[in-house]
Amino acid sequence: MSSDGAGVATTGTEQVLGELRSRERFLLTAHEGPDGDALGSLLGMHELLGQLGKDSVMFMAAKEFPLPIEYRFLPLEEVFHEPPADMADRTVIFLDCGNIDRMPVEFLSSGSNFRINIDHHHDNTLFGDVNLVETGASSTAEIVHGLALALGAEITPKMASALYVGLITDTGKFMYENTNARTHRIAAELIDAGVAVDETYRRLYEHVPIEKLQLLSRALDGIRRYCGERLIVSYVTDADYEASGAGAEMTEGIIDHLRSIEGAKVAALIRDQGDRGRAARKVSLRSSGGEIDVSAIARSHGGGGHKRAAGFSTDLELEELVSFLCDEVTAQLGP
Ligand SMILES: [Mn+2]
């Protein structure tokens, strides 16, 4: 299925198809702090299994709700926040999870259920009993679409709409380097299957609360350039959340502005986590132009992600953090 780009790896398609055919009861989940691909592939897979006559339930921890406003239109009312009574008998499908720590829920991370791991992160740790990891896929939604075709399922409008959300969000509206002709062909198939393109776009990108723009304004105001102006940093503090009235979920998209600055090689958005997280700050990283592998930077600090988009959590103060990031930039690009 994967034929574009270097370093493409596909494993386990036949094993995963076999398990999906032979097993009957599933619990589906995706990474914490879910994005459009996590939610889209979760819903798409749920639809697919339903069509195959399987018993499928979706699970996301209660702390993820309410979801970021742009995803609230997705039909996720049936999502479980607690394990179902027959959990012991279910096969768990992890979607868009590069490693098991991306789903830090006790009954999932330490349970003895059979695990199917379906993902496209190049640093996926292959934590499943069977693993379908397609690093050449734009999104996990694209992989789920491939599974639907291989299983002879009909692409219903509901399935198509969910998978399209995964495709459009993980490719940055078909503009990131993971976008290729195949991505557009899949999009075309999904549109043929019933996606309302303009309505989806409006729901994802044009229902912006004023608080989110006010938080963006503060973040733009706080932009600093370091490391020969190759490292662009902004810091969203608890005071910024308070002043703007925005929640932590409203930081999404800010980093794209940082990355777009002329001369940028790495954009870093640092966010206070208040009492919401385990570490004091969360750092999102984007590579601008692709010369720097930000997933290597994130991994060296216990995080993960893609070469061009990654993140980690830290207790470092701003100054130490900037100096760590600058060292990493210099290590990869030279002084
Ligand atoms: Mn993804």
Side-chain angles (χ1 to χ4, degrees):
M1 236 171 118
S2 299
S3 58
D4 312 85
V8 169
T10 301
T11 57
T13 310
E14 288 310 316
Q15 292 102 298
V16 167
L17 287 171
E19 302 297 344
L20 293 178
R21 286 190 188 101
S22 64
R23 291 172 180 272
E24 292 304 325
R25 279 192 276 179
F26 296 88
L27 179 134
L28 317 181
T29 194
H31 62 77
E32 66 173 332
D35 57 13
D37 189 31
L39 297 168
S41 44
L42 184 73
L43 265 171
M45 193 72 198
H46 181 63
E47 275 290 296
L48 168 59
L49 291 172
Q51 247 193 71
L52 297 175
K54 310 287 184 178
D55 178 334
S56 161
V57 300
M58 298 177 281
F59 172 86
M60 292 291 313
K63 75 171 171 73
E64 309 293 359
F65 293 83
L67 290 169
I69 194 147
E70 57 269 41
Y71 303 132
R72 284 185 206 161
F73 73 102
L74 292 168
L76 288 159
E77 302 78 16
E78 291 171 20
V79 169
F80 281 58
H81 305 309
E82 297 294 333
D86 63 350
M87 188 59 215
D89 304 324
R90 289 185 182 263
T91 295
V92 180
I93 302 183
F94 291 86
L95 295 149
D96 206 40
C97 283
N99 62 65
I100 192 85
D101 300 329
R102 296 287 279 133
M103 182 27 84
V105 171
E106 179 63 21
F107 83 92
L108 289 171
S109 54
S110 63
S112 57
N113 301 78
F114 190 86
R115 291 174 180 164
I116 300 178
N117 167 18
I118 300 174
D119 183 37
H120 67 128
H121 291 85
H122 74 100
D123 58 353
N124 188 290
T125 57
L126 307 180
F127 59 84
D129 293 296
V130 292
N131 303 282
L132 172 50
V133 179
E134 269 193 51
T135 60
S138 67
S139 52
T140 300
E142 180 175 323
I143 305 173
V144 173
H145 173 261
L147 291 172
L149 295 185
L151 291 163
E154 183 201 344
I155 311 292
T156 61
K158 194 174 175 191
M159 194 193 301
S161 302
L163 297 179
Y164 189 78
V165 168
L167 216 59
I168 194 173
T169 53
D170 257 25
T171 59
K173 312 185 197 91
F174 305 106
M175 286 190 287
Y176 296 159
E177 47 102 39
N178 60 357
T179 306
N180 55 39
R182 191 183 66 231
T183 326
H184 281 282
R185 280 188 209 106
I186 294 169
E189 283 180 40
L190 297 177
I191 292 166
D192 277 344
V195 173
V197 173
D198 63 333
E199 173 64 10
T200 305
Y201 173 82
R202 284 187 0 87
R203 295 306 296 252
L204 285 172
Y205 301 108
E206 294 187 352
H207 279 56
V208 184
I210 185 77
E211 294 83 1
K212 181 170 176 169
L213 282 188
Q214 278 159 352
L215 184 68
L216 170 64
S217 160
R218 297 179 71 87
L220 296 181
D221 223 29
I223 288 176
R224 300 289 180 270
R225 297 190 287 175
Y226 301 98
C227 213
E229 309 197 337
R230 297 174 298 179
L231 171 63
I232 314 296
V233 176
S234 186
Y235 183 16
V236 174
T237 64
D238 284 332
D240 291 319
Y241 290 122
E242 201 168 318
S244 60
E249 76 286 355
M250 293 186 190
T251 54
E252 188 159 315
I254 292 177
I255 199 162
D256 295 320
H257 294 275
L258 309 188
R259 171 175 45 192
S260 71
I261 293 172
E262 185 181 19
K265 299 297 178 193
V266 173
L269 181 68
I270 302 163
R271 288 175 284 162
D272 275 346
Q273 299 211 84
D275 54 5
R276 292 177 292 274
R278 288 157 292 176
R281 278 166 278 283
K282 205 162 181 169
V283 184
S284 299
L285 299 171
R286 295 292 183 276
S287 174
S288 188
E291 289 163 69
I292 291 202
D293 174 359
V294 291
S295 70
I297 302 177
R299 270 198 308 279
S300 77
H301 228 90
H306 300 281
K307 286 180 181 164
R308 296 198 185 209
F312 64 94
S313 294
T314 182
D315 285 316
L316 287 182
E317 296 297 336
L318 181 63
E319 204 173 308
E320 298 169 290
L321 200 45
V322 165
S323 114
F324 160 71
L325 292 171
C326 187
D327 287 348
E328 294 286 321
V329 169
T330 307
Q332 287 195 37
L333 285 188

